[in-house]
């Protein structure tokens, strides 16, 4: 088989020969009857087992430190010790923080619904505008784009660079008053693992937006999810305050990938000026989030130092998986001209760009052989990747052995899709 | 002191004498430095202690019966065993049910936001109408009215009768296409403890509504919360289906007052026709609710028979408290002409109607002596009780001894407010 030569340079005859070899290899892999799901960034069971203490440690007392009974109604903004814990962990003032339920996605959805229905800060509700546009750095997180899509916003794709979204483009776009916000995953972005530079964050904070209620949805989903060294992240609230825009950022975080995706604790932090207004709306929506889960989670994670140690353990589960992905990509695809990919230092994903027009076919080939990948296009607004090129690999759920097989199939599918494409020219 | 004579019939001189006596008694009660909160329907700590198993029983396995890992992402509609459990408990088809987070109020809010922003069943979103009106049987639950108030709906008060809302009035009002829905607490209504008759439920299901998307928000909050015998409730879905309106009802329930207000499990059931549409919206809003809490709660409550036994234990905590309230009202106010009240057979509240124009003053007098009651007017839309007469007593949180003192103060405040009023004439 032709190994790691630029396949795009092969003659037609060489391509036909290669295709025969790839078809045979693909048939062999199909025969293994794989059944793997790499479509979502789910922690693996052994990772979750390492968090069991959060569920099985005896409860001791149901009282929060201020005497509130965590079992009963009340404490809308979250237990004081939970606010303090997240404040220490993320260098946030606890006074900014609202502690929510098990899903930060739901907090983002709720905040967008509030902006749409009620507006904030004395600005008109977004439903009253003829058109609302939202900046979507892409590739990005499909569930973000699904929310702004459901609200009928026009989603403007912004190219990602190694230091975050293309800020020249962002600054140009926010001069349009219809542009009301931007989605950001600032650390180990989903799916590329890109970390925003200090300058990117500062520019987001100080840029001149025509919309007075332009909002940054700062989803720091992987804020403590380092695979190797710690990557620093510039304080978005400081950037916005220094830029004269103290109400610009909404900060989201959760323990979904620290303890349990299905039963973690989420938080939402805002500029000081809007906190009371949002809490007032929240008080109409619910009486209180699950404070027992706050107590349970915070007693397990304790403090920043304990959580860092815990996340080092989590990283020890994940590193061999990321290594398997990257080693296989290197071995099978380096030098072939068929793909480029990122080497994230944290987070939950690896992004691969294949030959234009091939991503959908790769997903199809992998699926037919028993491996479910994230749908092609999912990382773009409305599931439309204009180049049909970007693929997201979610290596966290399968075991290393399963992953090795899945990646073998993935790389083979990339080659096969490319050769099909080249032969069809 | 004048005992249980109709105080309204007293002469001015008798009233002055009585006021002197009441003032002295009030001063004595103020001297006791009470500090009690009877404002909300919160279970008492000993009641919550009796549910500890839901938190402390060892978890055994995190796997749901279909093999899903409750710790991880997924299972948007709720675990199959949770759906089956609630189906059995409430005589609902599990296929109708979505199992939510810890707050049914939040499910109601979310559904109203969906109707407002997106609409359902192909009908226009409610935000597109010049005006939306909502029927509010009153006295009712303040948090219901707060949601429809926040959305800017015009809230039309409907009188409560011993068999539910005044159905003649409801049927008259729903001929207006701007009338889009009704709040209902059909069993042991908050605050009067009224149970809807079969005929009321059937009329709600079959009445001719001008709005094609008229919705019944059926908050069966006290569906298994009997203090004495079981009160039956006619099946709202059957009533709607028999009436030719299969999508009319949204059914809400939670374990907030079965296990823990702060950490229970809520559900939402719909007509078959709308289920898939609502699940599709829900899938944009969140990945999944807390399935660990579903597992924990359902393993503790097990099945209908176990839950009935558990609720009998809960009733044994509550009956002495309701008895204290009703005995004190009987002893202090029967025959005075100053108040009428309900004698609920379940639920969490007792409603008292005092002389018109006196409710606010009663709350003030009680507060000044250290007992916090639910605000006067809270049981009416926009906190406006036109008669300033209705008061809600929430007897569940204090101990029986505390409650006896609080009720003594309550009754004294009712008398004092009345005498002040009569003397001011």
């Amino acid at each position: 088989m032709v190994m790691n030569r630029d396949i795009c340079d092969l003659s037609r005859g060489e391509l036909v020969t290669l295709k025969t070899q790839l078809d045979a290899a693909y048939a062999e892999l199909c025969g293994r009857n794989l059944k793997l799901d790499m479509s979502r960034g789910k922690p693996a069971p052994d990772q979750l087992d390492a968090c069991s203490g959060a569920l099985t440690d005896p409860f001791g007392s149901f009282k929060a430190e201020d005497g509130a009974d965590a079992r009963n109604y009340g404490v809308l903004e979250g237990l004081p010790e939970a606010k303090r814990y997240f404040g220490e962990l993320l260098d946030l003032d606890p006074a900014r923080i609202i502690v929510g339920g098990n899903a930060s996605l739901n907090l983002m959805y709720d905040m967008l619904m509030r902006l749409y229905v009620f507006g904030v800060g004395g600005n008109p509700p977004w439903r009253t505008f003829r058109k609302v546009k939202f900046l979507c750095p892409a590739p990005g997180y499909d569930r973000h784009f699904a929310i702004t899509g459901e609200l009928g916003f026009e989603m403007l794709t912004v190219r990602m660079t190694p230091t975050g979204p293309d800020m020249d483009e962002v600054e140009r776009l926010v001069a349009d008053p219809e542009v009301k916000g931007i989605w950001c995953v600032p650390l180990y972005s989903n799916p590329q693992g890109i970390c925003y530079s200090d300058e990117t964050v500062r520019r987001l904070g100080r840029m001149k937006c025509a919309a007075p209620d332009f909002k940054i949805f700062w989803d720091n989903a992987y804020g403590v999810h380092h695979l190797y060294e710690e990557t620093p992240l510039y304080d978005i609230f400081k950037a916005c305050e220094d830029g004269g825009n103290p109400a610009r950022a909404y900060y989201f975080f959760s323990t979904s990938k620290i303890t349990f995706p299905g039963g973690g604790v989420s938080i939402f932090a805002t500029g000081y000026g809007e906190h009371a207004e949002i809490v007032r709306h929240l008080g109409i929506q619910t009486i209180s989030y699950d404070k027992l889960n706050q107590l349970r989670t915070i007693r397990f994670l304790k403090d920043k130092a304990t959580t860092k140690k815990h996340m080092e353990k989590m990283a020890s589960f994940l590193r061999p998986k990321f290594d398997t992905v990257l080693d296989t990509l290197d071995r099978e695809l380096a030098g072939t001209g068929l793909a480029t990919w990122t080497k994230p230092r944290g987070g939950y994903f690896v992004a691969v760009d294949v030959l234009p027009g091939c991503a959908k076919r790769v997903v199809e080939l992998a699926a037919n052989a028993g491996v479910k990948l994230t749908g092609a296009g999912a990382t773009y607004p409305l599931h439309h990747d204009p180049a049909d090129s970007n693929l997201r690999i979610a290596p966290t759920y399968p075991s290393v052995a399963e992953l090795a097989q899945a990646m073998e199939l993935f790389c083979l599918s990339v080659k096969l899709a490319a050769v099909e494409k080249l032969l069809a020219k």
Side-chain angles (χ1 to χ4, degrees), chain A:
Chain A
M1 198 176 298
V2 182
M3 294 295 285
N4 299 23
R5 270 180 57 196
D6 195 325
I7 289 176
C8 303
D9 294 341
L10 297 185
S11 70
R12 191 162 184 90
E14 285 172 317
L15 282 173
V16 170
T17 307
L18 177 56
K19 180 158 189 312
T20 310
Q21 295 167 335
L22 293 171
D23 282 341
Y26 182 73
E28 192 273 317
L29 274 177
C30 285
R32 288 193 210 163
N33 294 315
L34 299 178
K35 199 172 178 313
L36 291 172
D37 190 337
M38 293 216 298
S39 65
R40 305 297 322 178
K42 288 167 71 169
D46 54 358
Q47 231 181 305
L48 302 181
D49 288 342
C51 308
S52 289
L55 294 172
T56 56
D57 286 354
F59 230 112
S61 157
F62 305 118
K63 293 261 191 242
E65 60 181 28
D66 65 351
D69 188 332
R71 300 170 300 182
N72 223 319
Y73 286 119
V75 199
L76 180 60
E77 292 184 43
L79 297 176
E81 53 263 66
K83 289 181 151 205
R84 198 178 57 239
Y85 165 80
F86 285 109
E88 189 209 1
L89 186 67
L90 302 167
D91 288 317
L92 291 175
D93 180 352
R96 294 187 185 279
I97 296 177
I98 294 165
V99 189
N102 74 322
S104 58
L105 188 73
N106 205 335
L107 294 177
M108 297 173 217
Y109 178 92
D110 285 349
M111 193 60 232
L112 274 165
M113 289 290 262
R114 260 175 234 132
L115 286 161
Y116 187 79
V117 172
F118 307 115
V120 295
N123 295 292
W126 292 4
R127 68 185 156 85
T128 62
F129 293 91
R130 197 184 55 85
K131 180 174 267 191
V132 172
K133 299 173 185 164
F134 214 86
L135 304 186
C136 298
Y141 181 34
D142 56 344
R143 293 190 189 270
H144 285 165
F145 303 156
I147 298 174
T148 34
E150 160 136 305
L151 284 167
F153 298 171
E154 184 180 328
M155 293 184 278
L156 306 179
T157 299
V158 176
R159 189 178 62 94
M160 286 295 283
T161 79
T163 56
D166 177 343
M167 284 308 300
D168 293 340
E169 178 72 356
V170 169
E171 285 166 349
R172 195 183 64 75
L173 289 167
V174 297
D176 174 356
E178 289 180 339
V179 172
K180 288 290 204 182
I182 184 169
W183 287 115
C184 296
V185 181
L187 214 52
Y188 312 124
S189 73
N190 173 352
Q192 294 166 300
I194 286 170
C195 297
Y196 287 24
S197 67
D198 292 1
E199 183 55 13
T200 296
V201 181
R202 282 193 294 256
R203 285 174 76 176
L204 284 165
R206 71 172 180 245
M207 64 189 181
K208 297 272 164 283
C209 300
D213 53 353
F214 181 93
K215 296 297 178 189
I216 298 170
F217 276 70
W218 197 249
D219 182 3
N220 196 15
Y222 309 105
V224 297
H225 303 59
H226 317 290
L227 286 170
Y228 304 96
E229 77 292 344
E230 255 186 57
T231 307
L233 176 64
Y234 196 85
D235 179 347
I236 185 66
F237 288 119
K238 177 168 168 35
C240 290
E241 277 155 17
D242 289 349
N245 304 296
R248 182 173 284 179
Y250 294 138
Y251 187 119
F252 303 91
F253 180 80
S254 84
T255 67
S256 289
K257 281 149 183 156
I258 298 176
T259 59
F260 308 112
V265 173
S266 62
I267 68 156
F268 175 29
T270 69
Y272 296 112
E274 278 187 12
H275 185 84
E277 180 176 355
I278 290 166
V279 168
R280 192 179 56 74
H281 284 297
L282 188 63
I284 306 289
Q285 180 176 1
T286 195
I287 304 176
S288 49
Y289 288 108
D290 186 341
K291 297 179 300 297
L292 286 166
N293 209 32
Q294 293 175 21
L295 217 50
R296 189 187 283 127
T297 302
I298 272 54
R299 285 182 183 166
F300 175 69
L301 296 174
K302 286 189 181 74
D303 52 26
K304 185 169 185 165
T306 309
T307 306
K308 276 175 84 161
K309 269 186 131 146
H310 176 74
M311 292 311 289
E312 280 162 23
K313 196 195 284 183
M314 293 294 111
S316 73
F317 287 104
L318 297 177
R319 270 193 307 270
K321 298 184 179 184
F322 278 81
D323 288 347
T324 300
V325 169
L326 295 171
D327 291 351
T328 314
L329 288 170
D330 263 336
R331 193 178 66 239
E332 296 294 329
L333 295 176
T336 62
L338 299 187
T340 56
W341 55 91
T342 56
K343 299 193 172 180
R345 310 294 292 168
Y348 261 61
F349 302 101
V350 175
V352 180
D353 281 305
V354 297
L355 286 193
C358 286
K360 278 189 188 135
R361 180 61 179 151
V362 171
V363 171
E364 187 181 37
L365 285 164
N368 290 345
V371 172
K372 188 178 175 193
L373 299 172
T374 306
T379 54
Y380 281 78
L382 305 176
H383 288 243
H384 178 65
D385 172 4
D388 185 27
S389 166
N390 186 252
L391 289 167
R392 184 179 82 166
I393 295 177
T396 55
Y397 191 78
S399 69
V400 171
E402 291 170 331
L403 197 57
Q405 295 203 62
M407 283 309 298
E408 194 186 336
L409 174 63
F410 177 86
C411 293
L412 185 61
S413 300
V414 170
K415 289 180 198 171
L416 200 46
V419 169
E420 286 174 358
K421 189 88 186 169
L422 293 167
L423 281 171
K425 268 187 186 164

